[in-house]
Amino acid sequence: MTVTAGLSPVGAVGDAGRGVLAATLDRVGGLPTTEVRHGLPAADEQWISCADLLADPAMFDRWRKRLADWLGERHEGQIPERTTSGYIMSWYLQVPGFLGGLLFHAARRVPSLRPADIAFRLSGDRPHPDGIALLSDEFCCLPEDPESHRPEATAVADERALAAVFRARFTAHAAKFVTAFGPGTRFGRRTLWAAATDALDTAGWLAGRCLGDEGSGVADSALFLPAAEAPLTSASTLRAVTGDCGRTVWTRRRESCCFHFALPDQPACTTCPRISEDERAERVLAR
C-alpha cells in the first residue's frame, strides 16, 4: 500500500534471516485487522519508521490532515482538531503497545520497543495503522524459554520481572512520543500519559482477544499495570461485567479520550471516561 499525505516512508527491504521473534510472528502475526511481522517486506509497500516520525513532528500534522479529510467525507460539519489528535494519539501508542503485548502473550518474550526498531503501515483507506513491523531480533524472556541461551536473548527472573521490562520499554518509547507529539496539540502531559496508560492496559487484553484467550490477556494486562506508576496514570481498569442471564464480558474505563463524541451526532465510546459505570455495563452487555 502507498502512504499518502506526505508521510515519509522507510524503504522496503527483505528479511535478512528468520530468528526467534520472526518465527513467533510468523505463527501469530497474521491477524484479521492488523498484520504484525518481523522485518519489512520486499514488495513496494511503504512503511513509516517510528524513529523518523518522532524526529519530524510535522509528519503528525500531515497525518492529522489526512484523517480530517477521511472523517470529513463521513460526517457533516467541521472536524475538531482534538478528535484527529485524539485518534492519532491512541493509534500511535497502540503500535509499540500491541507489538509488545502480542509477543508477551504469545511467547512470554518482550522485544525491543525502541522507535528505531519499529515501523508501521497506514491503511490505504481509513488512515490507521494496519501493519506493524519489528526490526530487531533482541528480546527478554523467562529462564525456562527454550531460546534463552541465544545471544539476542536476556533472561529475567519471572513473569512479573518480564512484565516490568515491557512496561519500562513501552514507557521509554511513550516518553519520546509525548515530547514529539505534545507541542503540536492542545493536550497536556496528563492527557498524553493517560493515553499511554490506555495503550499499555489494552495491550494484553487485545492480544488475548486476537489469539482466542481473552481472560488470559486480561491477566497479562494486570501484570503490565498492577498499580499506578508515574508517569503512567492508573492501574489496569479492566473489569468483568455479568448480565442477568449469567453472561460475562470484559470492559474498561479509559484514562484518556479519543474525542469521538465531538464529531457531529456521535455518542461517547463505550469505554469513555465521560459515561457512568452503569451505562458502560449496560452498553457492553447489550452488544
Side-chain angles (χ1 to χ4, degrees):
M1 297 181 183
T2 300
V3 177
T4 58
L7 290 172
S8 301
V10 293
V13 297
D15 293 339
R18 310 303 293 165
V20 173
L21 296 185
T24 304
L25 290 176
D26 284 348
R27 176 169 57 88
V28 302
L31 302 171
T33 58
T34 305
E35 176 191 11
V36 187
R37 57 174 293 125
H38 187 276
L40 296 171
D44 62 355
E45 294 177 340
Q46 293 183 322
W47 293 72
I48 302 163
S49 161
C50 288
D52 289 348
L53 179 55
L54 296 180
D56 182 9
M59 293 170 65
F60 283 116
D61 297 332
R62 295 192 288 273
W63 190 359
R64 276 192 290 262
K65 174 62 166 60
R66 180 178 168 187
L67 175 58
D69 290 344
W70 185 86
L71 289 170
E73 294 172 358
R74 289 155 179 79
H75 301 277
E76 295 183 1
Q78 187 174 1
I79 304 302
E81 185 275 335
R82 59 179 173 163
T83 301
T84 56
S85 291
Y87 271 45
I88 288 173
M89 174 177 66
S90 296
W91 285 345
Y92 180 89
L93 288 164
Q94 285 174 354
V95 169
F98 184 65
L99 173 62
L102 183 68
L103 282 166
F104 186 99
H105 180 77
R108 287 306 191 253
R109 293 169 182 154
V110 175
S112 168
L113 297 179
R114 291 185 293 265
D117 292 333
I118 305 174
F120 64 93
R121 177 190 63 205
L122 294 182
S123 169
D125 180 26
R126 178 175 179 256
H128 71 288
D130 71 348
I132 303 171
L134 174 63
L135 310 179
S136 170
D137 292 320
E138 180 268 324
F139 64 96
C140 286
C141 61
L142 300 175
E144 59 267 29
D145 190 304
E147 308 296 342
S148 63
H149 65 283
R150 288 178 172 264
E152 65 268 30
T154 301
V156 298
D158 53 30
E159 283 190 343
R160 290 186 181 278
L162 192 63
V165 170
F166 175 35
R167 184 167 58 250
R169 290 183 173 184
F170 172 80
T171 300
H173 190 135
K176 296 180 184 297
F177 170 78
V178 168
T179 298
F181 186 74
T185 75
R186 298 181 182 180
F187 298 156
R189 288 181 62 84
R190 203 280 176 191
T191 295
L192 295 164
W193 280 110
T197 305
D198 288 329
L200 189 56
D201 197 13
T202 57
W205 183 33
L206 293 179
R209 288 173 64 178
C210 288
L211 298 183
D213 191 351
E214 184 178 17
S216 178
V218 169
D220 288 345
S221 286
L223 283 173
F224 303 157
L225 281 170
E229 182 177 311
L232 301 170
T233 59
S234 79
S236 174
T237 64
L238 281 157
R239 69 184 186 98
V241 176
T242 302
D244 294 338
C245 63
R247 184 171 69 97
T248 298
V249 295
W250 287 96
T251 188
R252 67 181 300 274
R253 183 203 72 249
R254 287 176 60 106
E255 283 284 290
S256 66
C257 185
C258 66
F259 296 100
H260 177 80
F261 76 90
L263 293 170
D265 300 320
Q266 294 299 303
C269 301
T270 301
T271 56
C272 183
R274 287 171 168 77
I275 68 172
S276 69
E277 292 300 327
D278 287 344
E279 180 181 351
R280 192 182 334 279
E282 181 180 348
R283 288 169 63 172
V284 298
L285 288 168
R287 287 177 179 172

